[in-house]
Amino acid sequence: MSSLFPTYARWNIEVDQAKGTILTATNGKEYLDFTAGIAVCNLGHCHETVVKAVQEQTEKLWHVSNLFHIPLQEEVATKLVAHSDGNYVFFCNSGAEANEAAIKLARKYTGKTKILTFKQSFHGRTFGSMSATGQEKIHEGFGPLLQEFSYLEYNNLSSVKAAMDENVAAVMLEVIQGEGGVNPGEASFIKGVEALCKEQDVLLIIDEVQTGVGRTGKPFGYQHYDISPDIITVAKGLGNGFPVGALIGKEKLVEAFGPGSHGSTFGGNPLAMAAAIATLNIALEDSFLAEVSEKGAYLVQQLEEKLGNVPFVKEVRGKGLMVGIECDGSVGDIVGDLREQGLLILVAGPTVIRILPPLTVTKEEIDKAVEMIAKACLVTN
Ligand SMILES: *Cc1c(COP(=O)(O)O)cnc(C)c1O
């Protein structure tokens, strides 16, 4: 009998400990983890450097509140700014909170109310971020939602053109829709949205909660597209498992988030900052990112080679180590069977297998996972 609200359909696994790509259950069974805590433990579980940074910080200072200057926040912010198009950072504790901050900042800066988002998007579960999310199943039973959101067709520039008017504050999108099915934005679409935003003085918000911190082989996913967003939101991979979120915004926005305008008790907590700086120092290194790209290309190539002739498999897509396999039917059973066999992967909607290994995954681990996935897809055929 559980005393928890049953908000999650949980797997029948209790994890005792984890290292790198391997989870060990309380019953001793080992799993190859190609979920990384849903794109969170990007450096692998219990990465030594991050563990050490947090351990050392626990002995020095846990929390003081944002009434104080916190040098670690400055350090993380400087790093995020150096690797993005932004100039200022606001810290919070999750992806939803980062998007919440983005919605507030966009409204405050522009004085306008409408935010354009997309069908199949996912931006979080708080009222604002849920209202931004273009999926009915996530809204169900919670209405009325926050007003003034429109859900447009992803990869359809004319839907954006048609929705632009003088009341639009911002367009908000993921460059690869994660929860919605691992749907990469087409370059012409992403660039087109940026151009429309510039033309109409509308802010461009890129939700990098899943695609950020090296997941796609660049510091941030938008950097594959030669665009310069006004606001970027980050969370999942930022603390390698320590809860932390951030909004990165451009210079012009600085006055809209002046003293007293927005805040968070825990945002930028020293423990979270210690985890974040240790994570970023590794994950944003050029050589590390080059390996992510290389391993991602290898994963896709291996999947295409081994699954190319399987009629059940329609498409392999993604960037870096964020990969989806679109299938011709439900993938729930395949993912469940693989879990029994010791490989953990995710779904993104009913027909897409989603693969998000730690960015530190080895080629041998990729080979093993691909072989298991190929076998499972063949059996399903
Ligand atoms: C996971 C996710 C969120 C929500 O993050 P939380 O930390 O769960 O609030 C928002 N946007 C995207 C793209 C995500 O993948």
Side-chain angles (χ1 to χ4, degrees):
M1 196 35 204
S2 170
S3 305
L4 298 169
F5 270 108
T7 46
Y8 307 101
R10 293 174 194 272
W11 298 339
N12 191 21
I13 302 173
E14 284 176 12
V15 182
D16 178 47
Q17 48 184 293
K19 186 79 193 161
T21 316
I22 305 296
L23 297 185
T24 308
T26 47
N27 65 5
K29 187 165 170 172
E30 287 194 349
Y31 295 86
L32 191 56
D33 180 15
F34 272 45
T35 73
I38 316 188
V40 168
C41 303
N42 284 3
L43 303 181
H45 293 279
C46 291
H47 189 285
E48 243 168 63
T49 313
V50 185
V51 169
K52 194 155 163 272
V54 174
Q55 274 175 346
E56 284 175 7
Q57 190 59 42
T58 59
E59 305 279 336
K60 285 203 324 205
L61 179 68
W62 284 43
H63 182 85
V64 283
S65 86
N66 284 306
L67 295 171
F68 294 80
H69 287 282
I70 299 176
L72 272 170
Q73 286 186 9
E74 300 287 347
E75 207 182 322
V76 179
T78 301
K79 190 95 184 164
L80 289 171
V81 163
H83 285 86
S84 71
D85 285 57
N87 306 95
Y88 291 97
V89 178
F90 173 83
F91 286 112
C92 52
N93 311 288
S94 67
E97 276 180 65
N99 288 331
E100 205 66 40
I103 293 163
K104 287 180 70 174
L105 181 55
R107 281 194 172 177
K108 187 128 190 290
Y109 172 76
T110 60
K112 298 175 181 179
T113 48
K114 279 195 192 172
I115 315 259
L116 308 180
T117 67
F118 294 87
K119 290 177 183 157
Q120 298 306 115
S121 62
F122 183 77
H123 300 296
R125 300 286 196 157
T126 58
F127 243 96
S129 64
M130 170 180 72
S131 301
T133 295
Q135 297 189 49
E136 269 171 33
K137 65 172 194 217
I138 290 188
H139 300 159
E140 217 175 284
F142 295 117
L145 302 179
L146 188 62
Q147 296 301 293
E148 310 275 343
F149 286 85
S150 312
Y151 315 115
L152 312 177
E153 292 289 335
Y154 195 66
N155 277 333
N156 179 339
L157 195 57
S158 36
S159 80
V160 185
K161 221 174 259 171
M164 281 286 190
D165 64 36
E166 68 283 357
N167 298 317
V168 176
V171 178
M172 179 166 175
L173 59 84
E174 303 150 86
V175 289
I176 305 173
Q177 292 187 322
E179 306 297 314
V182 194
N183 305 317
E186 288 160 16
S188 59
F189 170 70
I190 304 283
K191 295 271 291 174
V193 169
E194 186 199 37
L196 283 175
C197 285
K198 284 227 169 94
E199 226 174 271
Q200 315 260 351
D201 229 358
V202 164
L203 295 178
L204 177 59
I205 304 171
I206 303 290
D207 179 343
E208 292 275 359
V209 173
Q210 193 158 153
T211 47
V213 196
R215 175 57 53 185
T216 69
K218 300 243 188 217
F220 300 101
Y222 80 83
Q223 291 162 337
H224 292 280
Y225 293 90
D226 182 32
I227 59 167
S228 181
D230 300 294
I231 297 175
I232 311 157
T233 56
V234 194
K236 290 193 167 92
L238 185 52
N240 208 50
F242 205 100
V244 51
L247 172 152
I248 311 169
K250 280 200 166 157
E251 176 88 43
K252 64 182 178 187
L253 303 168
V254 69
E255 277 172 27
F257 259 4
S261 57
H262 191 48
S264 161
T265 297
F266 288 131
N269 168 284
L271 294 177
M273 293 297 99
I277 195 67
T279 302
L280 293 175
N281 279 340
I282 299 167
L284 301 186
E285 274 294 306
D286 287 341
S287 55
F288 183 86
L289 293 167
E291 273 182 44
V292 173
S293 298
E294 204 234 316
K295 288 186 289 193
Y298 179 73
L299 171 60
V300 168
Q301 179 248 322
Q302 286 297 302
L303 284 170
E304 280 176 342
E305 194 180 308
K306 302 273 158 43
L307 297 172
N309 295 321
V310 180
F312 183 66
V313 175
K314 297 206 321 209
E315 190 189 18
V316 177
R317 60 182 180 235
K319 268 207 171 75
L321 286 166
M322 179 171 180
V323 174
I325 307 172
E326 172 93 49
C327 295
D328 193 20
S330 167
V331 295
D333 288 349
I334 293 183
V335 170
D337 288 348
L338 285 168
R339 193 154 62 234
E340 292 290 308
Q341 294 166 35
L343 174 66
L344 305 178
I345 50 175
L346 297 161
V347 298
T351 60
V352 178
I353 294 172
R354 181 168 46 145
I355 307 175
L356 297 165
L359 307 181
T360 50
V361 68
T362 65
K363 278 202 175 157
E364 291 69 34
E365 288 166 339
I366 290 175
D367 287 340
K368 194 168 166 192
V370 168
E371 196 186 317
M372 291 174 80
I373 294 166
K375 222 183 239 169
C377 287
L378 264 174
V379 171
T380 306
N381 232 11

